[in-house]
C-alpha cells in the first residue's frame, strides 16, 4: 500500500476511534468548558457597599465549596455597573451573553438595574440570579429570573404588624422615592392601618444626594409616636445620625424600619444613634445559629474584619442556587432546565431555613424583628422575634 494511503488510513482510524470514545462518554464530558457567571454589581458610586458585600460573599462561597461543580469549573466575571444607570447594566448583560458566552447572569443591586437586564435574560434564555433588587415584581420581568435575596413587602409587613401589636398607633412614614421605597410605603401603610394604626404623614426623600434634615424636621413637627424609615442599603448612616442630631430621639419619637437603615456593614460607623432602633429583616450578623457563626467568622477573616451584611448573604445564597442547579442537572443543561432545577430548592442558609417558591421563583424565608443593642462593646442587631416561612405578600 502506498505510504500516503497508509497514513491517511491511520489518521481516519484515529479520528473514528476518538469519535466512538466520545460517543460513549456521558453528556457532561462535552461540557467540560468553564461555567461563566457574570456578576454585575455596583462596585463604585453611592451603592458600592452593596456590590462589595455581594462580591465578597460570592467569592467566600466558592472558597468554601470549591471552584467546580458537576465536573464544570466556575469562572466568575465581575462587572461594575456603577449603580445609577440602567442602560449600563443592560449593556454589560448584553456583552456578557454575546461576547463572554456566560451561563448565568447574577448580581443586580437595585431594582431599576434588574429591570434593565431582564429582557436580555429572556431573549438569550440565560438564568438570571437576582441577589440585590427587592421589588416584588422583579421575577415577573423574565421567566429566567430566580431571586435569592428578599422582597421589600416581605421584610416590611412584619414590622408594621409588630408596631400595632406593641402599642404604636401614630406613625410618620418616610421612604426613598424609587420603586422599592414606594412599594415599602404601600406595604407599611396597608398592614399598619389594617392593625388599627394611623399614618400621620407620608414623606418621600430623593434617591440621589439626599439631604435628610428638612424631612426629619417635618417628622419632628408632626409629633408621631414613631417614625417608619426606609432607605437603600448604604444610606442608613446619614439618616440615623441626623435623626439624633435633629432631636427626634430626645423628643421620644421611636425609630422603626426595615433592616436597610441598620446595615451590619455600617453599624460601627453609625454608632450610638442606632441604639434602640427596631427593624425587621431577613438577616442579622448576630443571628444565633451554627451556620451563621461559621459564616460570619469566615467572612470577617477573608475581608479584614469587615462584618457581613444582608446583601452578603443574598450573594452567598445566590451562589448556592447556581451550584445546586448545576449539580441537579449534571453540569450540562439549557437555561430553561437550570431555572426548572432552581424551583423548589430548599436549604439551611446562614440566615436560617429558606427555599425558592416553585410558582414564583421567589424566596421564602424567616423574617426577624431585631433591636440594636450593645454587646461586648459592639453594636449588633439582636433578634428577639420572628415570622416563619414568609412569602412575598406583594
Amino acid at each position: 500500500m502506498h505510504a500516503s494511503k497508509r497514513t491517511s488510513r491511520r489518521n481516519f482510524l484515529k479520528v473514528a476511534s476518538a469519535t466512538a470514545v466520545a460517543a460513549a462518554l456521558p453528556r457532561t464530558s462535552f461540557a467540560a468548558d468553564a461555567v461563566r457567571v457574570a456578576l454585575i454589581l455596583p462596585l463604585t458610586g453611592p451603592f458600592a457597599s452593596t456590590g462589595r458585600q455581594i462580591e465578597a460573599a460570592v467569592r467566600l462561597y466558592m472558597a468554601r465549596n470549591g471552584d467546580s461543580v458537576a465536573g464544570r469549573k466556575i469562572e466568575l466575571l465581575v462587572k461594575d455597573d456603577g449603580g445609577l444607570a440602567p442602560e449600563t447594566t443592560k449593556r454589560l448583560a448584553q456583552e456578557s451573553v454575546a461576547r463572554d458566552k456566560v451561563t448565568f447572569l447574577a448580581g443586580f443591586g437595585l431594582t431599576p438595574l434588574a429591570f434593565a437586564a431582564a429582557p436580555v435574560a429572556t431573549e438569550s434564555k440565560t438564568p438570571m440570579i437576582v441577589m440585590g433588587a427587592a421589588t416584588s415584581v422583579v421575577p415577573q420581568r423574565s421567566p429566567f429570573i430566580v431571586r435569592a435575596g428578599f422582597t421589600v413587602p416581605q421584610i416590611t409587613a412584619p414590622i408594621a404588624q409588630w408596631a400595632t401589636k406593641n402599642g404604636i398607633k401614630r406613625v410618620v412614614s418616610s421612604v426613598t422615592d424609587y420603586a422599592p421605597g414606594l412599594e415599602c410605603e404601600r406595604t407599611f401603610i396597608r398592614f399598619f392601618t389594617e392593625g388599627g394604626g394611623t399614618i400621620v404623614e407620608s414623606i418621600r426623600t430623593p434617591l440621589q444626594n439626599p439631604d435628610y434634615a428638612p424631612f426629619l424636621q417635618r417628622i419632628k413637627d408632626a409629633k408621631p409616636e414613631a417614625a417608619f424609615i426606609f432607605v437603600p442599603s448604604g444610606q442608613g448612616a446619614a439618616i440615623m445620625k441626623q435623626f439624633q442630631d435633629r432631636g427626634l430621639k430626645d423628643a421620644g419619637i421611636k425609630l422603626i424600619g426595615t433592616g436597610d437603615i441598620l446595615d451590619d456593614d455600617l453599624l460601627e460607623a453609625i454608632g450610638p444613634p442606632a441604639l434602640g432602633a427596631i427593624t425587621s429583616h431577613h438577616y442579622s450578623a448576630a443571628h444565633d445559629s451554627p451556620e451563621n457563626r461559621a459564616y460570619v467568622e469566615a467572612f470577617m477573616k477573608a475581608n479584614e474584619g469587615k462584618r457581613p451584611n444582608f446583601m452578603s448573604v443574598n450573594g452567598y445564597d445566590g451562589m448556592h442556587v447556581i451550584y445546586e442547579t448545576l449539580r441537579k442537572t449534571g453540569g450540562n443543561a439549557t437555561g430553561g432546565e437550570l431555572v426548572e432545577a432552581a424551583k423548589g430548592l430548599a436549604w439551611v442558609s446562614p440566615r436560617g431555613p429558606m427555599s425558592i417558591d416553585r410558582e414564583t421563583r421567589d424566596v421564602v424565608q424567616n423574617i426577624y424583628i431585631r433591636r440594636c443593642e450593645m454587646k461586648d462593646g459592639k453594636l449588633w442587631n439582636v433578634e428577639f422575634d420572628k415570622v416563619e416561612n414568609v412569602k412575598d405578600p406583594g
Side-chain angles (χ1 to χ4, degrees), residues 66-393:
D67 64 355
S68 64
V69 59
R72 306 285 301 274
K73 189 173 181 63
I74 307 298
E75 184 179 341
L76 197 63
L77 307 179
V78 179
K79 301 168 185 279
D80 176 20
D81 63 11
L84 295 174
E87 59 271 19
T88 301
T89 307
K90 184 173 185 177
R91 175 179 56 79
L92 291 174
Q94 289 170 328
E95 289 175 0
S96 298
V97 168
R99 184 188 65 197
D100 301 326
K101 310 297 182 187
V102 299
T103 303
F104 292 91
L105 296 166
F108 310 104
L110 289 90
T111 291
L113 311 181
F115 283 175
V120 179
T122 302
E123 291 162 13
S124 64
K125 299 182 178 179
T126 303
M128 177 173 160
I129 311 302
V130 173
M131 300 170 174
T135 303
S136 280
V137 75
V138 166
Q140 298 174 36
R141 289 299 179 99
S142 171
F144 289 86
I145 288 177
V146 177
R147 177 153 41 198
F150 67 103
T151 83
V152 169
Q154 191 178 50
I155 63 169
T156 304
I159 192 67
Q161 294 167 326
W162 179 89
T164 56
K165 289 175 183 176
N166 286 271
I168 297 174
K169 298 298 182 183
R170 298 179 70 257
V171 167
V172 171
S173 165
S174 174
V175 303
T176 301
D177 192 5
Y178 78 129
L182 302 183
E183 187 170 54
C184 182
E185 178 187 71
R186 288 193 300 271
T187 304
F188 183 83
I189 290 173
R190 171 190 160 192
F191 284 91
F192 186 68
T193 55
E194 282 180 1
T198 299
I199 300 297
V200 179
E201 186 177 358
S202 294
I203 296 172
R204 296 174 181 176
T205 58
L207 176 63
Q208 297 185 35
N209 304 314
D211 175 12
Y212 294 113
F215 303 104
L216 289 169
Q217 188 61 49
R218 283 170 59 184
I219 295 173
K220 186 178 181 182
D221 292 343
K223 300 180 179 178
E225 294 169 353
F228 169 78
I229 294 177
F230 169 87
V231 295
S233 174
Q235 293 190 5
I239 196 165
M240 291 298 298
K241 288 184 175 181
Q242 289 186 42
F243 189 90
Q244 177 157 302
D245 292 345
R246 290 274 158 180
L248 279 77
K249 205 170 185 179
D250 291 339
I253 300 172
K254 299 180 179 71
L255 193 152
I256 61 175
T258 58
D260 313 72
I261 58 171
L262 290 186
D263 187 333
D264 282 293
D265 188 21
L266 302 175
L267 268 184
E268 292 298 308
I270 296 171
L275 281 169
I278 294 175
T279 56
S280 59
H281 223 32
H282 64 289
Y283 178 72
S284 166
H287 178 66
D288 188 14
S289 74
E291 293 83 7
N292 187 55
R293 285 191 291 273
Y295 174 67
V296 172
E297 181 181 355
F299 188 97
M300 294 180 72
K301 184 177 180 180
N303 294 280
E304 300 178 338
K306 184 182 291 291
R307 189 185 296 183
N309 74 354
F310 67 95
M311 283 293 181
S312 81
V313 82
N314 297 350
Y316 194 81
D317 287 324
M319 210 61 191
H320 182 79
V321 170
I322 289 172
Y323 272 50
E324 287 304 302
T325 56
L326 288 168
R327 189 171 287 117
K328 283 180 68 175
T329 57
N332 189 18
T334 65
E337 289 168 341
L338 289 166
V339 171
E340 283 300 313
K343 295 177 181 179
L345 280 179
W347 67 100
V348 178
S349 156
R351 69 180 93 177
M354 63 177 294
S355 61
I356 303 298
D357 186 83
R358 289 184 180 276
E359 300 300 321
T360 63
R361 292 165 279 111
D362 220 336
V363 62
V364 181
Q365 60 190 327
N366 294 347
I367 302 300
Y368 305 91
I369 308 297
R370 313 98 50 84
R371 181 183 291 104
C372 186
E373 299 176 4
M374 187 74 74
K375 292 184 68 176
D376 301 322
K378 293 185 179 296
L379 292 169
W380 297 91
N381 291 308
V382 179
E383 298 163 357
F384 64 90
D385 201 357
K386 69 179 175 181
V387 184
E388 295 184 340
N389 299 318
V390 180
K391 291 187 176 184
D392 174 36

